[in-house]
């Protein structure tokens, strides 16, 4: 089984670091009312919606599952 690093997963999914977008930080705070930057490290926009990813989730989920979910998000 091929081990895919966190960095490779982030690049494959074309995720953006939360710290690079002040708008996302504000949205996260509004949604969760706490410093969710600690929990959510990456995000990706799908039209009008945003999907947030934690490092833990990315590390525990296979690249195949992540890519499948990414395709599903693009369809909807």
């Amino acid at each position: 089984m091929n081990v895919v690093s966190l960095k490779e997963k982030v690049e494959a999914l074309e995720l953006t670091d939360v710290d690079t977008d002040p708008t996302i930080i504000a949205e996260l705070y509004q949604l969760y009312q706490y410093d969710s930057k600690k929990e959510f490290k990456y995000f990706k926009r799908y039209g009008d919606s945003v999907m947030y990813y934690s490092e833990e989730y990315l590390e525990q989920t296979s690249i195949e599952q992540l890519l499948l979910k990414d395709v599903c998000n693009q369809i909807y």
Side-chain angles (χ1 to χ4, degrees), residues 6 9-28 31-32 36-37 39-55 57-58 70 73:
L6 177 63
K9 289 177 181 179
V10 169
E11 289 172 359
L13 294 167
E14 298 176 354
L15 301 181
T16 305
D17 193 315
V18 167
D19 292 329
T20 63
D21 191 330
T23 308
I24 286 294
I25 295 169
E27 286 177 24
L28 276 170
L31 284 172
Y32 299 102
S36 49
K37 273 177 49 181
E39 185 174 341
F40 297 110
K41 178 74 173 136
Y42 300 100
F43 74 95
K44 184 171 181 176
R45 291 191 184 278
Y46 298 96
D48 293 337
S49 64
V50 179
M51 184 75 181
Y52 299 102
Y53 297 87
S54 68
E55 286 186 328
Y57 174 76
L58 290 172
D70 184 54
N73 285 333

